[in-house]
Amino acid sequence: MLRTRTTLAATLVVAALLAPTAARAEPAETAGDAIPALTDEHGRALTLRGWNVEDKANRGDAALSAITEKHFRDLRAKGFGFARLLVFWDDLEPRPGRYSQTYLRKIERILDWARKYDVKVLIDAHQDVFGPAFGHRGVPAWATRTDGLPFTPHPDDWFSEYFEPAVQRAFTHLYEDEDLRRAQARMWRVLADRFEDHPAVLGYDLINEPMGELREGEDLPTAARRIERDQLTPMYNRLADEVRSADRDAWVFVEPTPIVGEGVPTGLGRIDDPKVVYAPHFYNTGMEAGADYDPAAGWIESYEQAVTLYPKEYKVPVVVGEWGPLNNSLPNMNRFYREAMASLGRYTSGWAGYVWCYGGGYCAVDGTGAFRTNKELTAEPYAEAVAGTVRSAAYDSGSGVYRLSYDAAGRRGSRVTELSLPPGDWRITAHGAALVLRKDRGRASILAAPGARVTVTVTRG
């Protein structure tokens, strides 16, 4: 009888905590130079932790075939709830105005897998070195205009191909030619119209790592800021308008040029949309070329200082869309991952590592599904969604303790804070007017009374 009364009392408390409902979420209000949090439809502050998911090798009928349900099952099992899904315009629209329904169905199947495992997805319109006209993926060959300028492949240094005259001119035409502008906008309207109701879709990354054409006498930082100001900003405003005509609720992610990786502040201007996310990448040139991390160089510090200027000025959240070195087993890489994770935790609403695959190179895990050297440091306890205002959140990798402090939302807000836990035994305690509910070994919920000051501690068992 006592057990029945105790169960009934707990049920009544849970019902009371769950009763309030939230209005449609908008970006959180911030004070001073604070960077706002990404929010969900319940107004909860989100933290995204996950990986890019891709199939660059296959196209046409075989497109996306390398991505399987296993990717999403394994992501969630390791404690990750976010995937940045690479899609390619050249596969979506192989001929002008002819959109591949087969490709759209394949994207939808992947989104269905993500939904099954409760993984949020960012759809990324990916390009590398513009597209297939230059031996890569992205913008279709029929939308590539070079004015006959030369292109020389650099198979040992593919990124340097961005500086070939033909590639740079192709970007200029994409930004400036009215018919190509319309084609790019229509492509985004097709994607947003198809997936605006899919529950797995968090948002849309409008173009991966955009570049442009250097003018005579310009150095790279000056050119990058000009391209961002004069070409990317109006492009993003056009594409955001097109997405918003089909999908009112998803977030729109905008990237600067990759030059931000050198600690160069972006020249991007305001994007006139209520749900914009700034989505830089976090790569270091030396480490990409195979060098070890140099803690004395201060790269992480200079990157963080530069990359936070834009979101502070325009009051938009930050999600890093790609990061992670090629050679993660060098002597200083353990320190790099620890310092990078701490830095990303200070100013972002999350990140997607590069890349979730099974093997060598950039792959997060090996063929058995085990983390490759040092990449296990990316798997930490974290609060996927906080129903209230976060006061502090941090994981101490040395002690294996995660601490979260927040002020629970008022009576009109959500009550449910969601925790994600990597594999292992974790003990969760909550102080304040709150209950801890365990879903399974990898998930837990905190139910808090309206306005309560809540402190959550997660300790490795």
Side-chain angles (χ1 to χ4, degrees), residues 202-331:
L202 173 75
Y204 309 102
D205 190 337
L206 299 179
I207 188 171
N208 176 70
E209 296 188 349
M211 291 286 278
E213 189 167 7
L214 277 68
R215 293 174 178 170
E216 187 174 356
E218 270 186 329
D219 61 24
L220 189 54
T222 301
R225 288 192 293 268
R226 172 184 55 78
I227 292 163
E228 290 160 344
R229 181 188 65 243
D230 296 342
Q231 295 177 316
L232 297 187
T233 300
M235 179 188 70
Y236 287 144
N237 275 294
R238 290 192 303 271
L239 298 182
D241 286 346
E242 198 70 22
V243 166
R244 203 58 72 205
S245 68
D247 189 335
R248 295 184 57 195
D249 298 322
W251 290 87
V252 172
F253 287 60
V254 298
E255 299 189 30
T257 66
I259 311 308
V260 297
E262 301 308 308
V264 178
T266 184
L268 275 178
R270 182 179 301 278
I271 311 303
D272 294 317
D273 188 274
K275 300 187 73 172
V276 171
V277 180
Y278 183 53
H281 292 179
F282 180 42
Y283 288 125
N284 172 268
T285 301
M287 291 164 65
E288 287 301 288
D292 198 359
Y293 173 55
D294 179 5
W299 171 66
I300 289 178
E301 295 82 358
S302 64
Y303 175 88
E304 181 175 333
Q305 183 177 29
V307 85
T308 53
L309 295 176
Y310 181 87
K312 288 178 179 178
E313 179 178 0
Y314 291 104
K315 295 295 181 285
V316 296
V318 181
V319 173
V320 167
E322 291 185 23
W323 75 285
L326 175 62
N327 189 344
N328 51 282
S329 60
L330 294 170

Side-chain angles (χ1 to χ4, degrees), residues 76-77 79 384 419-422 438-444:
R76 176 50 76 184
E384 289 192 59
L419 302 181
S420 180
L421 310 171
R438 293 299 294 261
K439 291 184 177 180
D440 53 43
R441 288 174 64 86
R443 310 288 294 283

Side-chain angles (χ1 to χ4, degrees), residues 17 20-22 40 42-44 387-388 408-417 448:
L17 291 170
T21 58
D40 68 6
H42 305 296
R44 299 181 300 177
R411 293 189 177 277
R412 291 181 56 82
S414 172
R415 295 288 161 267
V416 185
T417 289

